[in-house]
Amino acid sequence: MRIAWLALGMLAAIMNGPATSEARGTGPDSSIEEGTGQFPAVFEEDPTLPAHVVYRPRDLHALGSEKLPVYVWGNGGCSADGTSSRNHLLEIASHGYLVIAAGSIPADKPAPAAPPQQPRQLSAATPTSALLEAVDWAIRENQRPGSHYAGRIAVDRIAVSGWSCGGLQALNVAGDPRVKTAVIMNSGFFPANSSPIAGVESDKATLAKLHTPVLYILGGATDIAYQNGMDDYRRIAGVPAAVINIAVGHGGTYSEPHGGLAAQIVVNWLDWQLKGVGAAGLRFAGPGCGYCGDPRVTIERKGLDKP
């Protein structure tokens, strides 16, 4: 019964949003952050990739010979606002990543209309397939003559991620063989293999398709996705996995400056998994892992014995 009520609570949050709403559309403004990484970042719509927002280092030439790993994002509430988690996504892009979110920039054009709602059920405004469309596009652009991304994308280093409903989308595409890691944030499959969100599958059996290391970032016991995410973590077998809880609830730290603590954790995970940075791996792996003694978080791990 408790899990059922949690599922209903997650639905309510997707419909209404917490105080820091996961599905709100704010659009770009003069206070846009550029991230704290080496490469100040921007976001834009690209005419070669409809219904997506691309976050990237502003000056691609500053990368030199460094290539951009890819971080594909599903929005909170599966919304069509590709800027709803912009602080988080700009921060990641500023550390040398190509970030692609489903949706559009609301200030530039109206967001696509949401699909008709079924009685007592929500529908996703962006399809799960949008995440794989982003992967396809990155691979094409890396090879397309005349693209300013030609030869600059590390197409063999791709992560999928998302918040809440977007995290469910990421889980559903994480089995794609091109994916090298998954980061699931404030999310987890609903129990009983049933989804209250039309167009988004929720099947615990899908966890068996995971073939790469996976990180869950949850908001602690007050996060309405906590039980679902922790249950996912306990079921995962055969691949390295970790779950980190930050006691901030379902709203996470997405709207905090530079995406807050969660964005820092994601950057470290990506630097380890996609760039092979050993110092970043030491925050998660080994007997004295950095996050193991960090009072801001709790961490559980399996299969992460070495950085």
Side-chain angles (χ1 to χ4, degrees):
M1 181 64 71
R2 172 174 167 76
I3 293 180
W5 278 109
L6 284 165
L8 290 173
M10 191 170 182
L11 269 176
I14 294 172
M15 292 175 68
N16 303 316
T20 53
S21 173
E22 62 174 301
R24 72 185 186 281
T26 54
D29 59 33
S30 60
S31 63
I32 289 298
E33 298 180 356
E34 296 183 332
T36 66
Q38 181 182 354
F39 308 103
V42 296
F43 65 86
E44 62 192 3
E45 291 182 345
D46 191 301
T48 65
L49 182 63
H52 291 77
V53 178
V54 178
Y55 297 72
R56 61 169 177 86
R58 181 188 301 275
D59 181 4
L60 293 174
H61 295 290
L63 293 165
S65 61
E66 182 176 343
K67 293 190 176 184
L68 295 164
V70 181
Y71 182 74
V72 176
W73 179 258
N75 302 313
C78 294
S79 83
D81 180 356
T83 68
S84 55
S85 299
R86 67 189 187 201
N87 288 2
H88 177 85
L89 301 180
L90 283 165
E91 177 64 19
I92 292 167
S94 77
H95 289 268
Y97 290 89
L98 179 64
V99 179
I100 310 170
S104 61
I105 301 175
D108 285 359
K109 63 182 181 182
Q117 301 291 320
Q118 298 298 320
R120 303 174 68 180
Q121 187 178 46
L122 291 174
S123 294
T126 54
T128 298
S129 60
L131 277 68
L132 293 182
E133 289 170 3
V135 173
D136 294 341
W137 175 82
I139 293 172
R140 287 197 309 271
E141 285 298 289
N142 189 58
Q143 300 172 337
R144 183 174 66 84
S147 168
H148 54 281
Y149 295 109
R152 295 188 181 277
I153 303 175
V155 295
D156 59 340
R157 291 177 277 160
I158 296 172
V160 293
S161 184
W163 173 14
S164 192
C165 181
L168 299 179
Q169 292 179 320
L171 278 170
N172 276 298
V173 303
D176 188 289
R178 299 170 294 181
V179 172
K180 299 303 180 186
T181 191
V183 181
I184 310 304
M185 306 187 70
N186 305 98
S187 188
F189 282 134
F190 287 95
N193 297 335
S194 62
S195 174
I197 309 167
V200 179
E201 294 184 8
S202 179
D203 185 348
K204 296 285 187 181
T206 301
L207 297 170
K209 298 179 182 179
L210 294 172
H211 62 97
T212 68
V214 57
L215 171 67
Y216 279 72
I217 300 178
L218 304 174
T222 61
D223 183 347
I224 51 179
Y226 174 79
Q227 294 289 352
N228 292 349
M230 292 302 297
D231 182 63
D232 279 8
Y233 170 76
R234 295 182 185 111
R235 290 171 184 255
I236 291 171
V239 297
V243 56
I244 289 180
N245 273 279
I246 310 169
V248 292
H250 194 60
T253 65
Y254 307 96
S255 63
E256 293 182 12
H258 310 298
L261 177 57
Q264 297 173 27
I265 294 171
V266 173
V267 168
N268 282 318
W269 180 265
L270 297 178
D271 280 355
W272 180 31
Q273 295 295 323
L274 300 185
K275 295 185 178 181
V277 179
L282 287 172
R283 296 180 179 272
F284 304 92
C289 83
Y291 289 125
C292 295
D294 190 327
R296 301 172 299 173
V297 305
T298 60
I299 182 171
E300 295 183 33
R301 309 168 294 158
K302 47 189 172 185
L304 295 176
D305 299 327
K306 298 180 180 179

